[in-house]
Amino acid sequence: MGFVLKVMGFLGWALLSLIAIVPVVAARHRPWSHSKKVNISEEDLVTELAGQPKVEFSHYAGYVTVNEKHGRALFYWFYEASSHPEEKPLVLWLNGGPGCSSVGYGATQEIGPFTVDTDGSGLKLNPYSWNREANMLFLESPAGVGFSYSNTTTDYDTLGDSVTAKDTYIFLHKWFNKFPTYRHRSFYIAGESYAGKYVPELAELIYDMNKHPSLHINLKGFLLGNPETSDADDWRGMVDYAWSHAVISDETHKIIKESCNFDKGDPWSNDSCSQAVDELLNQYKEIDIYSLYTSVCTNSTSSNDGSMQVMYNSKSKMMPRIMGGYDPCLDDYAKTFYNRPDVQKALHVSDDLHLKNWSICNYKIFREWSESRPSIVPIYKKLIAAGLRIWVYSGDTDGRVPVLSTRYSLGALELPITRAWRPWYHQKQVGGWFQEYEGLTFATFRGAGHAVPTFKPSESLALFASFLAGESMPSER
């Protein structure tokens, strides 16, 4: 209860009064029409996005101010479901970092209806977009990520897990005021990587605040891919995975096992451990830590979402990846596209932001992150007991948050198994393996890297549909 009261103080009377005076409109069936929208924020409607293919659904982009005094505003991009949006749930997607863009990654590399073309000139349709199954809301969070900003620069000095969860919570309530037909819609949260902390923390905050009827959000559950969960188990899994996949030597693995105490949270606490861990990270600079068996982008100076800034300065032409047709230079295309003035205008980006300023990750935020929970396992236990639907999936060729890290972390929950380990199938092929526990489902994706939907788009859409329906993954060909 103390936690709830602290959060209530943070939200302040302004949010509560705002929610109280704005009429709450329940989700309703409405005729599908492009000429007339019902209870929708028309000023954020996207109508002239450069290179956009023609679609039969509407999408919206813009800002929600989460702190009026500081001028702190979060940027979102919302896609209605491609069919029958009035009947489908609302899903919030968050990428991690911390400091990386859900618009640049989730919306236009992974699960959104558009992907950025190879020269940044336009967009291509994604036939496996998750808005086939749900209304999808992508948020750049916290302030300082992507197009989100604050007019108070000191806000950037205190960013951490708690601030991010609280700002996202305020965002949701204010967003529902823009889009009131979604206020009572079934609501889920999804994300990957460091969102393994963002998502459960936000879910816990919503669950606690739902004790106040005026603040109720119809949260049903959450879905996480290759999530950071428990720092100690994440480190152990990363080390064991690197050794078992021949990235490090037996000797390096042995030194780490004997000299590192990851439970203390600092792998550089002694020289032997520090040198061995540095050796592991140095080996990963030679390949893509997020996808062990695919090529790196050889003409890029950008890095991916995560803990290491690996620079590729070669002038040779890009080598396309083999798995899933994935292009390792997607980050560069996104940077070109989102820094175009006409694109920023179409997305209603603030005039206060300088052009050519969008980046897919803000590494200053990453380096100076002020607060991170060492383990989310207690939140899992709390929300499993509350009856939320919780699914976790893992691409099995990711070295950054490998499948072993997730298995170690979930093992700490000590949940009874209700359905034993077995393969799941997609289009008569093994998509991966899964196991069901009391209150949680865990699934792997065979041959997928860190950002699973980029490598296995059709399979990930199938998993998403099963998650929303509350159905087991297909276990027969």
Side-chain angles (χ1 to χ4, degrees), residues 98-162:
C100 293
S101 167
S102 300
V103 167
Y105 281 113
T108 44
Q109 289 193 29
E110 300 181 64
I111 61 173
F114 311 123
T115 56
V116 178
D117 214 343
T118 54
D119 58 0
S121 63
L123 300 167
K124 298 180 292 185
L125 280 176
N126 174 12
Y128 305 107
S129 171
W130 285 15
N131 83 321
R132 292 177 61 174
E133 300 291 338
N135 300 281
M136 297 299 303
L137 175 59
F138 296 87
L139 179 65
E140 294 197 304
S141 176
V145 174
F147 293 126
S148 296
Y149 68 93
S150 176
N151 291 328
T152 305
T153 56
T154 54
D155 281 352
Y156 301 131
D157 299 331
T158 58
L159 295 176
D161 287 8
S162 295

Side-chain angles (χ1 to χ4, degrees), residues 268-276:
W268 290 272
S269 57
N270 67 73
D271 289 342
S272 294
C273 176
S274 176
Q275 292 172 10

Side-chain angles (χ1 to χ4, degrees), residues 74-78 89-95 102 111 130 134-141 164-165 167-169 171-173 175-176 186-192 195 198-199 202-203 206 217 219 221-224 464 467-468:
L74 301 184
F75 180 82
Y76 77 91
W77 197 348
F78 170 59
L90 173 67
V91 177
L92 172 68
W93 173 272
L94 300 172
N95 276 91
S102 300
I111 61 173
W130 285 15
N135 300 281
M136 297 299 303
L137 175 59
F138 296 87
L139 179 65
E140 294 197 304
S141 176
T164 301
D167 273 4
T168 304
Y169 182 79
F171 164 87
L172 284 172
H173 277 292
W175 188 88
F176 285 132
S186 293
F187 177 66
Y188 298 88
I189 318 171
E192 67 188 14
Y198 288 162
V199 170
L202 176 61
I206 292 172
I217 294 174
L219 177 65
F222 61 83
L223 172 68
L224 289 169
F464 183 58
F467 165 73
L468 292 178

Side-chain angles (χ1 to χ4, degrees), residues 92-102 105-106 110 139 141-142 161 164-165 168 189-204 222-230 234 305-306 366 369 372-373 376 379-380 383 390-393 400-401 450:
L92 172 68
W93 173 272
L94 300 172
N95 276 91
C100 293
S101 167
S102 300
Y105 281 113
E110 300 181 64
L139 179 65
S141 176
D161 287 8
T164 301
T168 304
I189 318 171
E192 67 188 14
S193 194
Y194 194 82
K197 295 191 176 182
Y198 288 162
V199 170
E201 288 167 344
L202 176 61
E204 180 186 39
F222 61 83
L223 172 68
L224 289 169
N226 289 76
E228 292 192 35
T229 306
S230 165
D234 289 347
D305 166 19
F366 175 82
W369 197 249
S372 177
R373 292 198 194 188
I376 302 298
I379 299 180
Y380 273 83
L383 297 182
I390 300 174
W391 282 32
V392 178
Y393 63 88
R400 178 59 187 90
V401 190
H450 188 66

